Amino acid sequence: MKKFKNIAIIAHVDHGKTTLIDAVLKQAGVFRENQNVAERVMDSNDLERERGITIFSKNASFQFQGYKVNIVDTPGHADFGGEVQRIMKMVDSVMLLVDAFEGPMPQTKYVLKKSLEQGHCPIVVINKIDRPNARPDEVLNAVFDLFVELGADDQQLDFPVLYASAKEGIARFELGDKNRDLKPLFATILRHVKEPEGDRANPFQFMASAISYDNYLGKIGTGRIHNGTVTQGEEVILIKRNGDRKPYKITRIFTYDGIHRISVPEAVAGDIVSLAGLEDIDLGETVADIDQPLPLPAMDIDEPTLAMTFAVNDSPFAGQEGRFVTSTQLHDRLRREILNNASLRLEDTDSKKAFLIKGRGTLQLSILMENMRREGYEFQVSKPVVIYRFVNGQKCEPVELAVVDVADAFAGVVIEMLGQRKGELRNLVAGSDGYTRLEFRIPARGLIGFYNDFLTATRGTGILNHSFSGYEPFKGEMNRKTKGVLVVHEPGVSVAYGLFGLQERGSLFIGSGVPVYAGMIVGEHCKDNDLTVNVCRTKKLTNMRAAGSDDAIRLTPPRQFSLEQALDYIEDDELLEITPKNIRMRKKKLDVHARKQDEKTKKNASAPAARTVA
């Protein structure tokens, strides 16, 4: 009789989840001794490998002492919290990884809260004990305080603790132990992770916690079998969220062997499997026995907090670099994305060429954009805006818990900057290594556009982490001091001579020899107003020219933006043009006269009414 243990690994970003899974799979015998295995084998996506973070949750399994242990690697960044939430329904316990130096971080609090709400009893692993500045005892105390703060019950507070170095492949019951393997971790999983509930003799019940798409098999739903058994070719009922019931036939059943998905003829209650043949299946829906179709409780996913418009590229360079440029192609790609991502929403707008995407954060949305541009899509996006809600008639906004690690010399500057953005300082801890940790509660809109200023103020040394905390009453308007931009006046190709004269007006975003169009943003103005400039201006030819005078032109290297930085930088009247080859900032209205007319209209609207004299 098959026996199962299902566990998810949760942690803050970069605390070592994927590295630990590498070590677990190697020591569990999933790979041959002479097999060449890449680092972070679970990070299968190109973006995950480049950035060193987990973006999509992934399944693996190993055999140990008669049990099949299904292990799920979950994302560590708050923007991908929807991935974590749906995984909680699939597993019976979680392994909470905490860095032995950094301690609990915002995402640690978020993922732990979600696991405790599901009734899971976590296993705590203090990782990176081999760091020279590790402080495992203090971190353990902080973890216990976090459990208490989140309302853990007595059973959850009695959590087992392990001390590990994922990089070295070591886990120990006590810091002073001398073992050099992960056997204590395996033993703890078998001892503390409860076996899946459910009876194989009951009618079949399965819930889809993840959706993928295969060109040959169509939609594939991945999740746990809660009751009963399922065989290939069996007739089942799909119970939709709205109550509709549709009959289907299971064409393929997949389970996990190591990191590979293999086809099997039958699967039983307790196992994590993928089912094909359910072409209309969506996240959180139940697949049930055809004779006794009983639905499972619905899956709750936190609502999005940010919205952004995706639109067809209408710049003068439209269609020159992308393969997929039409509104139909853009809509189909976005619709496919929301089928796989539980925390994204897609809505139509007044325009047939623009669509509203709602998500959990700028990183989540920028990952989607980066994937799309690599696939050959060309489009433009607006500045992210927060989603307000009305609770009991009161306007409320999303609030984030932000943790800032900054050199002592910059702590005052950061406190002042976040204070201007309605941030409330909740805690200040002076570190022993010349760094200070600041904890804030701040409106989500206060963090939009903050990161670039933060890096500049801390000279690139500050570290900012934040996680969604909840909705609170509107904090009032913010006075954001922004600088203007340098906007191209006429199309052409940028020239060193034209750029040289603009360096004293601000900082440039492009070098010479770059094609530009009217309305494109090419730099930051040193004042708070926008300035229309001619970057294509060349030196007039005369027959009186000093030898070597043109050699004196020296341009400062242009300021380069990543996709996330560009999203942070643009304002409400600007757009980000995204193509497979370039990321360009531009004004919504490219014509300079139209922009001036808008400014005049705004000034007239904001001017006080003339006083009537009797």
Side-chain angles (χ1 to χ4, degrees):
M1 182 176 176
K2 292 183 179 178
K3 297 188 290 184
F4 302 98
K5 298 281 186 180
N6 300 321
I7 188 168
I9 296 192
I10 58 176
H12 186 79
V13 65
D14 200 32
H15 279 198
K17 300 180 308 302
T18 310
T19 306
L20 181 64
I21 292 181
D22 280 359
V24 165
L25 296 178
K26 287 175 183 175
Q27 294 191 27
V30 171
F31 308 114
R32 301 188 314 273
E33 286 189 18
N34 63 345
Q35 187 171 344
N36 185 20
V37 181
E39 282 189 22
R40 304 195 319 275
V41 67
M42 294 287 279
D43 283 347
S44 53
N45 182 275
D46 288 342
L47 277 177
E48 291 179 320
R49 290 198 166 277
E50 289 172 19
R51 295 168 182 248
I53 61 173
T54 301
I55 298 170
F56 309 102
S57 60
K58 290 172 285 293
N59 299 64
S61 74
F62 62 90
Q63 305 287 337
F64 187 74
Q65 293 185 1
Y67 283 89
K68 179 186 179 184
V69 181
N70 287 306
I71 191 164
V72 187
D73 185 15
T74 61
H77 197 283
D79 286 14
F80 308 107
E83 294 268 323
V84 178
Q85 281 183 268
R86 55 187 175 80
I87 293 309
M88 294 302 164
K89 288 274 188 183
M90 252 193 329
V91 298
D92 301 293
S93 184
V94 295
M95 188 188 305
L96 178 67
L97 233 68
V98 185
D99 190 295
F101 169 69
E102 292 186 352
M105 298 291 279
Q107 180 66 356
T108 313
K109 182 175 181 178
Y110 175 83
V111 293
L112 178 60
K113 178 184 176 185
K114 295 302 176 187
S115 65
L116 294 177
E117 287 173 356
Q118 286 290 327
H120 296 325
C121 296
I123 298 169
V124 175
V125 179
I126 310 294
N127 192 29
K128 302 188 183 181
I129 57 172
D130 52 333
R131 287 184 65 164
N133 48 5
R135 47 188 188 96
D137 293 333
E138 294 174 43
V139 167
L140 179 57
N141 290 335
V143 171
F144 186 83
D145 292 342
L146 182 58
F147 270 73
V148 174
E149 180 188 340
L150 295 176
D153 60 32
D154 291 343
Q155 187 179 2
Q156 291 170 330
L157 284 172
D158 190 24
F159 53 81
V161 181
L162 291 162
Y163 301 91
S165 168
K167 192 176 179 182
E168 301 290 332
I170 299 168
R172 294 168 176 166
F173 291 117
E174 300 292 342
L175 280 169
D177 292 348
K178 301 299 182 185
N179 64 293
R180 304 288 302 174
D181 54 30
L182 292 172
K183 287 181 181 176
L185 178 62
F186 294 151
T188 304
I189 290 174
L190 292 195
R191 190 182 310 123
H192 288 278
V193 178
K194 63 181 181 181
E195 293 191 30
E197 296 177 354
D199 192 336
R200 298 175 190 183
N202 285 346
F204 174 63
Q205 284 179 304
F206 164 93
M207 175 173 279
S209 297
I211 302 292
S212 56
Y213 187 83
D214 185 277
N215 289 332
Y216 300 100
L217 299 173
K219 267 189 176 181
I220 298 176
T222 300
R224 190 173 96 187
I225 301 176
H226 290 258
N227 281 300
T229 61
V230 63
T231 55
Q232 187 171 318
E234 183 177 341
E235 300 279 348
V236 294
I237 290 289
L238 172 63
I239 304 175
K240 303 290 289 180
R241 281 181 173 274
N242 59 7
D244 291 348
R245 303 190 173 202
K246 300 181 179 181
Y248 285 106
K249 180 185 287 187
I250 302 295
T251 56
R252 294 287 288 277
I253 303 172
F254 297 97
T255 187
Y256 290 87
D257 182 14
I259 60 173
H260 302 292
R261 195 166 69 180
I262 59 170
S263 180
V264 293
E266 183 185 59
V268 297
D271 202 359
I272 294 175
V273 299
S274 298
L275 302 181
L278 308 157
E279 64 182 42
D280 201 25
I281 191 169
D282 285 321
L283 286 168
E285 295 180 344
T286 302
V287 182
D289 184 82
I290 194 164
D291 296 321
Q292 294 177 272
L294 304 172
L296 289 164
M299 181 189 300
D300 294 324
I301 300 291
D302 286 347
E303 291 297 312
T305 58
L306 281 179
M308 185 183 294
T309 302
F310 283 62
V312 173
N313 185 17
D314 62 1
S315 83
F317 292 169
Q320 295 183 9
E321 298 172 359
R323 285 191 298 137
F324 307 111
V325 297
T326 67
S327 59
T328 303
Q329 291 168 332
L330 180 62
H331 182 265
D332 288 346
R333 176 64 181 83
L334 295 175
R335 190 172 54 81
R336 286 204 309 273
E337 186 67 26
I338 64 165
L339 293 177
N340 298 337
N341 197 324
S343 56
L344 286 180
R345 304 283 188 275
L346 173 63
E347 296 179 7
D348 292 330
T349 65
D350 297 336
S351 170
K352 292 183 178 180
K353 295 184 177 182
F355 311 98
L356 192 68
I357 283 283
K358 296 180 178 179
R360 295 288 289 275
T362 52
L363 178 64
Q364 181 192 30
L365 294 168
S366 69
I367 292 291
L368 168 60
M369 295 173 212
E370 184 63 38
N371 278 325
M372 287 175 64
R373 71 186 288 249
R374 292 185 183 201
E375 293 165 12
Y377 285 84
E378 182 179 308
F379 54 98
Q380 58 191 19
V381 298
S382 67
K383 179 183 178 68
V385 294
V386 300
I387 299 171
Y388 296 104
R389 290 185 192 170
F390 284 89
V391 181
N392 299 325
Q394 186 175 21
K395 184 179 181 181
C396 294
E397 64 177 331
V399 173
E400 304 263 335
L401 171 67
V403 175
V404 180
D405 289 302
V406 64
D408 297 342
F410 303 123
V413 177
V414 173
I415 292 172
E416 181 182 359
M417 291 172 68
L418 287 173
Q420 292 172 350
R421 294 168 175 262
K422 305 292 183 182
E424 300 173 9
L425 181 63
R426 291 300 181 90
N427 195 15
L428 186 153
V429 180
S432 57
D433 56 349
Y435 269 68
T436 299
R437 173 165 291 183
L438 310 168
E439 295 183 13
F440 288 86
R441 286 183 69 81
I442 181 170
R445 61 194 165 101
L447 291 175
I448 296 175
F450 172 72
Y451 195 62
N452 290 324
D453 296 338
F454 171 70
L455 288 179
T456 303
T458 60
R459 299 183 185 176
T461 61
I463 300 172
L464 170 67
N465 292 287
H466 57 91
S467 173
F468 174 68
S469 178
Y471 271 81
E472 294 183 7
F474 184 66
K475 306 290 184 183
E477 298 299 332
M478 292 182 189
N479 295 321
R480 290 182 55 195
K481 295 179 181 177
T482 57
K483 291 184 178 179
V485 289
L486 304 177
V487 188
V488 175
H489 180 260
E490 60 184 37
V493 177
S494 61
V495 178
Y497 180 77
L499 294 171
F500 183 74
L502 298 175
Q503 290 190 134
E504 61 186 21
R505 299 293 188 98
S507 58
L508 296 172
F509 301 161
I510 64 168
S512 60
V514 177
V516 296
Y517 54 81
M520 182 173 156
I521 296 170
V522 293
E524 181 179 270
H525 193 198
C526 56
K527 297 181 180 179
D528 60 0
N529 64 303
D530 294 343
L531 184 66
T532 305
V533 298
N534 184 1
V535 295
C536 309
R537 185 164 62 99
T538 57
K539 191 170 184 178
K540 299 301 180 190
L541 292 175
T542 69
N543 60 354
M544 298 292 291
R545 179 176 291 178
S549 60
D550 284 348
D551 297 338
I553 293 180
R554 293 287 185 271
L555 293 178
T556 305
R559 184 171 159 191
Q560 301 290 330
F561 284 87
S562 67
L563 185 53
E564 288 92 348
Q565 289 172 333
L567 279 176
D568 264 352
Y569 189 83
I570 59 174
E571 292 298 327
D572 295 333
D573 64 335
E574 296 164 0
L575 295 171
L576 194 62
E577 178 187 355
I578 300 171
T579 75
K581 296 180 180 178
N582 288 290
I583 298 170
R584 304 182 185 96
M585 290 180 274
R586 50 159 286 190
K587 289 291 183 180
K588 281 185 180 178
K589 294 191 174 179
L590 299 177
D591 182 59
V592 62
H593 302 296
R595 293 199 301 274
K596 285 182 178 178
Q597 187 61 43
D598 276 357
E599 286 179 21
K600 192 180 293 183
T601 305
K602 285 180 184 176
K603 283 182 181 178
N604 293 337
S606 61
R611 182 178 296 175
T612 304
V613 180

